[in-house]
Amino acid sequence: MRLTSESAIFNMGDTSIRVKQVVDVNKVILKELETFKKTGKIWENDKEVQEEFYRQFIEEIVRLENEEGAVLFQDFVRAKTYTLPPKGKMGLRGRTLTNTVVKVGFIDAQRNLSEVGRKYLEEDIAPADKIEALLGLSQDNLVYLRQYLKLRIYDNQTDDYFYNFRFAIKFLTRYDDVPEKEFLKIIESIRPSQTEEEIKEIIDAYGDVAEKRVKFDDFYKKFFTITLRPQRELDEVREMFQKEEFTDENFMKYFPNRDSKAASLLYKEYVLALIGLKRNHDNSDFEKVKKLSKDDKIKKAFGENRIPLRIRKGCTLEEFLEDNQENPLLSDDTYLIYETFIFSKHNDLIREYKDMCRRTFQITGLIHFENGIVNLNNKWLFTQLLESVGKNFTLHGNESYASYEESPESPWYRETTMCESLGITKQMAQDFITKLQSAFGAKNAEHLMYIITDRREKEYRDFVEKHFPEEKTIKILHNIILRKDKDVFKEVTDNATVPTIYEYIMTIAWYHLSGKKDYMLHKSFQVSLDANKLPLTHRGGGAGDIEILAKEYALLIEVTLMKKNNQRRAELEPVIRHSVNFVLENQADKKPVQTLFIANELDNNVMNVFRAMQFVELNGTMKAGTVDGLNIFSLKTEEVIELLKKKKCGEEVLQIIRDNLEAKPGPIKNHWREPIVDEILK
């Protein structure tokens, strides 16, 4: 990723099309680009082709939502009714939509799928290497992690670069509970021109902030004032203030506004009023400063979107000066007005871009943002890893931008594991694992994995108990029935679609119904989770929705929000196929295997066909073999809510279903389900 100017900051997405469900939307983009490229149309410099792609993308979103029977992507609600843009903006929506996918390396600038993008789309990424396997990540987490470890932020003119995600990891191995505002401000302010030593000095010096020996603002000004503008420009502006060369041209040059030259002249009016007020204590300047300080453009440029000075109602000039004697806008050193301006403008950029940085970093499953605090998941691993790999974990470098981001043969576009990206040899990886074994008191690699898995399971159980107790789970399921999507997003996350959230919450619902039985909760989730353990997207790969492998039973739960008139077409075959494969995978354990099909509403034909499957011999698809019938029972979401309210035992529910299986083949009539449900809910 190359910065666009000397003062630009990196942007992990495009703010003109803000996307919250990043993973799901990126997958749709990749799929549609693959289809679109097969038409032979050339993307580069053809704005009509770019606009045609955007129209095709919107049509696919509409198709997916019609199939699901509800809005999936709130970000595109206003775009559903496609209209051709003005000629000057032709293709802009297609370019901005796909920019995020370019920035993660899944496609190149000409929108051709890269090797890693194609493998990701085909669900064929390389298995986790020895170190990645310790992290317990989904394929979605893993592919983004691998790419972000390679992501370089290039200088706008030179071949200097820094690794922003690597910096985040190294920084968070040193510090816990970092305020999100400080973390994002630091990472967005580093310049590619800074050396490895300078970047490491920033990490070291933050220790004084963490220990409360230094205020963050003082730390920030010390390390970043000279990075926000070129030294040449800082010198020129200082000279401008010393000589008071306050021409319109100078203000348009040094106090720019990308939308309007008139705004630069408004800044000039404000600066001159500030200087006049400080020097002359003039009432006309006082009135002008009070009035302009409340202007939105002035607040944005000088006050980080707030009134930049303290202005009490009815205060006198003397009281005003007393209240603001520490404010740099009224300092004897008038150059500090410019510093205030560049800090405010920079912070405004950070506010604009920080949401995408936070969302994309969370996708990796590593960087955890909660309640304005940032931490690193699996810190124990990365602390030891950075110590083991040493100089291989570089934060800065210099290499041809063209060869790295414009060549399809570049490592940026090729699939590489963490070990490959960081130059970790097999021997280095083995030495690292041996050190971990010693640190954890593990006898061998297998025992180490057992300890890590046990720790991870406890983390997930503690998380669910704290964030999704039974009462909250019931509330969310109720809102899903009513399709109060905004409430669902608020209660869970807006990084995933409601169907994905439904699957996630139903996994938690069974955890409560199971009585917290002895099965691995964290392995039962078949949705990819972000670093906050919240859902991102369904994992895919041909597996079922939720898999519960308890000592007493094996349970497959298939969920859908499709209306009943779509269920026969879209759910019948996949549920049966997944159930067959699930039975084949678990039949050796000699324990009951059950499938539950859960939806807000149920189609009688679908329920009846599932019931008839008890007497049908079926063949596996992912695993060879046959099964002598399936046990598939259907429940409504509202019935699951009743089970939760009545604190029913999941194992007893499954036993009732088994006890009511048909003894021999025969006609399947409507309403066969009602007496079984009555018994379950009794």
Side-chain angles (χ1 to χ4, degrees), residues 234-249:
L234 296 176
D235 293 340
E236 289 171 356
V237 174
R238 186 173 288 280
E239 184 177 359
M240 180 189 84
F241 274 96
Q242 288 171 346
K243 294 181 178 180
E244 298 193 355
E245 295 175 340
F246 299 137
T247 64
D248 291 353
E249 292 75 14

mmCIF file of all heavy atoms in Angstrom, residues 234-249:
data_model
loop_
_atom_site.group_PDB
_atom_site.id
_atom_site.type_symbol
_atom_site.label_atom_id
_atom_site.label_comp_id
_atom_site.label_asym_id
_atom_site.label_seq_id
_atom_site.Cartn_x
_atom_site.Cartn_y
_atom_site.Cartn_z
ATOM 1 N N LEU A 234 7.727 22.589 7.755
ATOM 2 C CA LEU A 234 7.693 23.126 9.113
ATOM 3 C C LEU A 234 8.572 24.373 9.214
ATOM 4 O O LEU A 234 8.190 25.370 9.850
ATOM 5 C CB LEU A 234 8.171 22.066 10.109
ATOM 6 C CG LEU A 234 7.302 20.806 10.240
ATOM 7 C CD1 LEU A 234 7.963 19.803 11.187
ATOM 8 C CD2 LEU A 234 5.901 21.136 10.720
ATOM 9 N N ASP A 235 9.748 24.322 8.589
ATOM 10 C CA ASP A 235 10.656 25.475 8.614
ATOM 11 C C ASP A 235 10.042 26.667 7.881
ATOM 12 O O ASP A 235 10.148 27.821 8.343
ATOM 13 C CB ASP A 235 11.996 25.113 7.977
ATOM 14 C CG ASP A 235 12.771 24.085 8.797
ATOM 15 O OD1 ASP A 235 12.475 23.945 9.995
ATOM 16 O OD2 ASP A 235 13.648 23.410 8.222
ATOM 17 N N GLU A 236 9.414 26.395 6.749
ATOM 18 C CA GLU A 236 8.801 27.475 5.969
ATOM 19 C C GLU A 236 7.664 28.136 6.743
ATOM 20 O O GLU A 236 7.513 29.373 6.718
ATOM 21 C CB GLU A 236 8.280 26.924 4.638
ATOM 22 C CG GLU A 236 9.381 26.539 3.667
ATOM 23 C CD GLU A 236 8.850 25.793 2.440
ATOM 24 O OE1 GLU A 236 7.625 25.515 2.388
ATOM 25 O OE2 GLU A 236 9.662 25.474 1.541
ATOM 26 N N VAL A 237 6.860 27.338 7.421
ATOM 27 C CA VAL A 237 5.734 27.902 8.172
ATOM 28 C C VAL A 237 6.242 28.701 9.376
ATOM 29 O O VAL A 237 5.711 29.772 9.695
ATOM 30 C CB VAL A 237 4.771 26.790 8.637
ATOM 31 C CG1 VAL A 237 3.682 27.356 9.537
ATOM 32 C CG2 VAL A 237 4.143 26.103 7.439
ATOM 33 N N ARG A 238 7.281 28.186 10.042
ATOM 34 C CA ARG A 238 7.843 28.941 11.175
ATOM 35 C C ARG A 238 8.334 30.310 10.696
ATOM 36 O O ARG A 238 8.102 31.337 11.363
ATOM 37 C CB ARG A 238 8.996 28.164 11.811
ATOM 38 C CG ARG A 238 9.534 28.815 13.074
ATOM 39 C CD ARG A 238 10.561 27.934 13.765
ATOM 40 N NE ARG A 238 9.973 26.775 14.396
ATOM 41 C CZ ARG A 238 9.362 26.795 15.574
ATOM 42 N NH1 ARG A 238 9.236 27.934 16.241
ATOM 43 N NH2 ARG A 238 8.877 25.688 16.092
ATOM 44 N N GLU A 239 8.970 30.324 9.538
ATOM 45 C CA GLU A 239 9.441 31.596 8.976
ATOM 46 C C GLU A 239 8.260 32.491 8.610
ATOM 47 O O GLU A 239 8.302 33.711 8.797
ATOM 48 C CB GLU A 239 10.305 31.320 7.738
ATOM 49 C CG GLU A 239 10.925 32.581 7.154
ATOM 50 C CD GLU A 239 11.830 32.286 5.965
ATOM 51 O OE1 GLU A 239 11.992 31.088 5.613
ATOM 52 O OE2 GLU A 239 12.365 33.240 5.379
ATOM 53 N N MET A 240 7.199 31.906 8.103
ATOM 54 C CA MET A 240 6.000 32.683 7.751
ATOM 55 C C MET A 240 5.444 33.394 8.980
ATOM 56 O O MET A 240 5.076 34.577 8.920
ATOM 57 C CB MET A 240 4.938 31.762 7.152
ATOM 58 C CG MET A 240 3.654 32.478 6.753
ATOM 59 S SD MET A 240 2.312 31.345 6.300
ATOM 60 C CE MET A 240 1.643 30.955 7.932
ATOM 61 N N PHE A 241 5.384 32.696 10.122
ATOM 62 C CA PHE A 241 4.864 33.309 11.338
ATOM 63 C C PHE A 241 5.836 34.352 11.890
ATOM 64 O O PHE A 241 5.410 35.396 12.401
ATOM 65 C CB PHE A 241 4.575 32.234 12.391
ATOM 66 C CG PHE A 241 3.209 31.626 12.259
ATOM 67 C CD1 PHE A 241 3.020 30.446 11.569
ATOM 68 C CD2 PHE A 241 2.094 32.250 12.826
ATOM 69 C CE1 PHE A 241 1.758 29.881 11.440
ATOM 70 C CE2 PHE A 241 0.832 31.700 12.707
ATOM 71 C CZ PHE A 241 0.654 30.508 12.011
ATOM 72 N N GLN A 242 7.130 34.074 11.775
ATOM 73 C CA GLN A 242 8.109 35.043 12.277
ATOM 74 C C GLN A 242 8.049 36.346 11.485
ATOM 75 O O GLN A 242 8.102 37.435 12.054
ATOM 76 C CB GLN A 242 9.521 34.447 12.200
ATOM 77 C CG GLN A 242 9.791 33.353 13.227
ATOM 78 C CD GLN A 242 11.107 32.644 13.001
ATOM 79 O OE1 GLN A 242 11.740 32.776 11.932
ATOM 80 N NE2 GLN A 242 11.539 31.855 13.996
ATOM 81 N N LYS A 243 7.913 36.230 10.149
ATOM 82 C CA LYS A 243 7.891 37.414 9.295
ATOM 83 C C LYS A 243 6.478 37.945 9.070
ATOM 84 O O LYS A 243 6.298 38.989 8.432
ATOM 85 C CB LYS A 243 8.523 37.083 7.943
ATOM 86 C CG LYS A 243 10.008 36.756 8.036
ATOM 87 C CD LYS A 243 10.593 36.464 6.652
ATOM 88 C CE LYS A 243 12.083 36.184 6.742
ATOM 89 N NZ LYS A 243 12.665 35.894 5.389
ATOM 90 N N GLU A 244 5.497 37.206 9.591
ATOM 91 C CA GLU A 244 4.079 37.571 9.450
ATOM 92 C C GLU A 244 3.693 37.769 7.981
ATOM 93 O O GLU A 244 3.011 38.730 7.608
ATOM 94 C CB GLU A 244 3.759 38.810 10.286
ATOM 95 C CG GLU A 244 3.989 38.578 11.769
ATOM 96 C CD GLU A 244 3.392 39.655 12.656
ATOM 97 O OE1 GLU A 244 2.873 40.657 12.118
ATOM 98 O OE2 GLU A 244 3.435 39.487 13.887
ATOM 99 N N GLU A 245 4.112 36.806 7.165
ATOM 100 C CA GLU A 245 3.760 36.835 5.737
ATOM 101 C C GLU A 245 2.437 36.084 5.543
ATOM 102 O O GLU A 245 2.379 34.986 4.989
ATOM 103 C CB GLU A 245 4.886 36.199 4.924
ATOM 104 C CG GLU A 245 6.187 36.988 5.004
ATOM 105 C CD GLU A 245 7.348 36.294 4.291
ATOM 106 O OE1 GLU A 245 7.253 35.055 4.078
ATOM 107 O OE2 GLU A 245 8.332 36.976 3.956
ATOM 108 N N PHE A 246 1.356 36.697 6.022
ATOM 109 C CA PHE A 246 0.061 36.032 6.057
ATOM 110 C C PHE A 246 -0.730 36.301 4.772
ATOM 111 O O PHE A 246 -1.811 36.909 4.783
ATOM 112 C CB PHE A 246 -0.723 36.491 7.286
ATOM 113 C CG PHE A 246 -0.047 36.178 8.592
ATOM 114 C CD1 PHE A 246 -0.001 37.115 9.620
ATOM 115 C CD2 PHE A 246 0.562 34.947 8.801
ATOM 116 C CE1 PHE A 246 0.617 36.824 10.825
ATOM 117 C CE2 PHE A 246 1.194 34.644 10.006
ATOM 118 C CZ PHE A 246 1.219 35.587 11.009
ATOM 119 N N THR A 247 -0.189 35.883 3.650
ATOM 120 C CA THR A 247 -0.870 36.077 2.365
ATOM 121 C C THR A 247 -1.902 34.973 2.142
ATOM 122 O O THR A 247 -1.841 33.898 2.760
ATOM 123 C CB THR A 247 0.142 36.040 1.211
ATOM 124 O OG1 THR A 247 0.737 34.729 1.165
ATOM 125 C CG2 THR A 247 1.238 37.090 1.400
ATOM 126 N N ASP A 248 -2.848 35.239 1.242
ATOM 127 C CA ASP A 248 -3.834 34.208 0.895
ATOM 128 C C ASP A 248 -3.137 32.973 0.338
ATOM 129 O O ASP A 248 -3.518 31.832 0.653
ATOM 130 C CB ASP A 248 -4.820 34.747 -0.149
ATOM 131 C CG ASP A 248 -5.740 35.810 0.412
ATOM 132 O OD1 ASP A 248 -5.700 36.043 1.643
ATOM 133 O OD2 ASP A 248 -6.505 36.416 -0.370
ATOM 134 N N GLU A 249 -2.112 33.198 -0.472
ATOM 135 C CA GLU A 249 -1.399 32.079 -1.085
ATOM 136 C C GLU A 249 -0.751 31.182 -0.027
ATOM 137 O O GLU A 249 -0.788 29.944 -0.123
ATOM 138 C CB GLU A 249 -0.328 32.592 -2.058
ATOM 139 C CG GLU A 249 -0.870 33.263 -3.309
ATOM 140 C CD GLU A 249 -1.426 34.666 -3.058
ATOM 141 O OE1 GLU A 249 -1.155 35.224 -1.957
ATOM 142 O OE2 GLU A 249 -2.137 35.181 -3.930
#
